[in-house]
Amino acid sequence: MTVDRARLEETAQAMVAQGKGILAADESNATMTKRLEAVGIESTPDSRRGFRGLMFAAESAADYISGVIMYDETLRQASDDGTPFPVLPASAAILPGIKVDTGAKPLAGFPGETVTEGLDGLRGRLGEYRELGARFAKWRAVIGIGEDRPTHGCIEANAHALARYARLCQEAGIVPIVEPEVLMDGDHSIDRSEEVTATVLRAVFAQLAEQRVLLEGIVLKPNMLLSGYDCPEQASVEEVAERTLACFRRVVPAAVPGIAFLSGGQSDERAAAHLNAMNRIGGVPWELTFSYGRALVAAPLKVWAADTAEVADAQAAFLHRARCNAAARRGEYAESMEHELVA
Ligand code: 5MM
């Protein structure tokens, strides 16, 4: 089957549009339950709908957000007035997307490592998601760093699955977000982050080529190169930015339209500062933007949990993070912005 190249390129460009980034609101029910319970809210279909819906409906969200990644449950939900969620963001010029992997599962033969599943029946699911309005999709591979990890077997299994997923998406007219996340948990140095991230990205792009994926019609969602969170020596914002770009220049083809970084457990401020520093350096062939989950959602969730009736306060907290990261996407973020709430 051929792919609609023009449609894919147009969608991919819109996802990485100037001054905007992607909201990752695609936590599985298990993850969302952990997030909600951590702030004292019972996790039900309605509480998950209530929280995500307030972000999707926030006025001016489309000034900062190009696309929203939803979970299967979310894509089928609607706002209080009955407007389906995929239409709600679209009407505000935000593209709806869908997480299509079914999670990282233990990889047989490789204790402690995972492979992301979800290829069985994916062609059929993509057809349905497209009918429901999804314009792009997401699949996250998870790679941990340890003494003897990651193994070659784990990297190759995940890279192959990512490429198979990406080609299936493109045949369905859906832009795949390709997310090979190297976790920053551990005490490894930034040198080790670089070594592993470069190896993983090389494997992913080799598999994307093998599986005939159109690079102009994907968005890459990688980790930044950080020192492991428990490493005694933490790299500065400037070092993270310089080393991430230097590494990516070596391994990410110029045909890729954009790199939308994940936040990966960084503080909200660090996630913005790192993206900002990279955009200030610039001189790269791809757009550099964000596809943040926690770094966009944690702050409004805390506000909402304090008083679920005060939707406007939670929306303001969400818009504040979106605005800071949109500024970082242009290289115009400053720490002082953290004290200015969106009017
Ligand atoms: C929002 O979280 C996403 C879903 O995670 P689970 O499948 O584990 O529930 C996750 O894939 C997310 O899109 C990325 O990890 C980026 O999010 P962060 O929080 O790292 O920016």
Side-chain angles (χ1 to χ4, degrees):
M1 203 191 208
T2 55
V3 298
D4 183 343
R5 190 181 170 132
R7 176 190 166 101
L8 293 171
E9 287 185 15
E10 188 192 336
T11 304
Q13 295 289 349
M15 289 164 67
V16 297
Q18 239 331 304
K20 298 185 188 190
I22 296 168
L23 164 64
D26 62 313
E27 298 88 348
S28 57
N29 285 348
T31 301
M32 200 58 202
T33 296
K34 267 192 240 155
R35 305 255 193 274
L36 286 166
E37 288 180 354
V39 293
I41 304 264
E42 191 190 351
S43 179
T44 64
D46 210 47
S47 64
R48 296 190 287 269
R49 184 185 73 88
F51 176 64
R52 284 164 170 155
L54 75 83
M55 294 189 291
F56 302 163
E59 224 181 295
S60 79
D63 292 350
Y64 314 116
I65 301 293
S66 58
V68 176
I69 317 173
M70 299 189 199
Y71 184 58
D72 182 88
E73 174 187 84
T74 324
L75 195 77
R76 299 171 195 278
Q77 288 179 322
S79 61
D80 287 343
D81 69 5
T83 312
F85 278 164
V87 179
L88 195 64
S91 64
I94 299 176
L95 297 171
I98 177 75
K99 180 231 291 294
V100 301
D101 68 68
T102 55
K105 305 286 163 55
L107 176 60
F110 296 82
E113 298 196 295
T114 62
V115 64
T116 299
E117 296 186 350
L119 287 173
D120 287 354
L122 181 57
R123 181 178 275 124
R125 286 195 290 132
L126 286 167
E128 189 195 359
Y129 288 142
R130 189 181 146 142
E131 290 300 306
L132 287 167
R135 299 283 305 279
F136 67 94
K138 195 199 85 173
W139 179 291
R140 172 175 171 248
V142 185
I143 310 285
I145 298 183
E147 209 176 310
D148 301 314
R149 288 181 295 131
T151 59
H152 179 72
C154 169
I155 293 172
E156 286 302 322
N158 277 289
H160 179 76
L162 269 169
R164 297 264 314 279
Y165 138 83
R167 177 67 198 200
L168 279 164
C169 285
Q170 291 188 333
E171 290 190 3
I174 288 177
V175 169
I177 292 184
V178 173
E179 181 180 4
E181 176 174 8
V182 178
L183 299 175
M184 293 298 133
D185 302 312
D187 61 1
H188 56 269
S189 64
I190 189 169
D191 292 349
R192 181 87 174 117
S193 296
E194 177 175 347
E195 181 192 12
V196 173
T197 303
T199 303
V200 168
L201 289 174
R202 281 197 185 97
V204 167
F205 282 102
Q207 285 290 336
L208 291 174
E210 285 285 353
Q211 298 300 323
R212 304 180 174 173
V213 173
L214 176 75
L215 294 185
E216 290 84 348
I218 72 164
V219 170
L220 179 69
K221 176 168 174 171
N223 52 285
M224 301 172 190
L225 300 191
L226 309 177
S227 312
Y229 293 132
D230 297 327
C231 179
E233 258 182 55
Q234 290 291 313
S236 66
V237 168
E238 289 67 34
E239 185 178 2
V240 166
E242 280 162 15
R243 294 190 63 164
T244 301
L245 291 188
C247 169
F248 281 42
R249 273 194 201 98
R250 291 184 206 114
V251 294
V252 180
V256 172
I259 297 179
F261 288 97
L262 58 89
S263 59
Q266 304 176 57
S267 71
D268 293 354
E269 293 78 10
R270 273 277 161 143
H274 286 145
L275 178 63
N276 187 60
M278 285 190 271
N279 274 304
R280 285 219 176 143
I281 296 169
V284 289
W286 342 272
E287 299 294 337
L288 297 174
T289 187
F290 59 90
S291 174
Y292 292 164
R294 285 162 286 181
L296 280 172
V297 165
L301 181 57
K302 211 168 144 197
V303 172
W304 187 63
D307 186 350
T308 53
E310 286 304 322
V311 165
D313 289 351
Q315 285 178 324
F318 166 62
L319 290 172
H320 175 64
R321 291 265 42 93
R323 178 171 167 263
C324 287
N325 287 304
R329 194 246 173 280
R330 298 188 304 268
E332 293 170 8
Y333 168 78
E335 209 273 329
S336 58
M337 284 182 70
E338 294 294 347
H339 312 293
E340 305 159 6
L341 264 192
V342 179

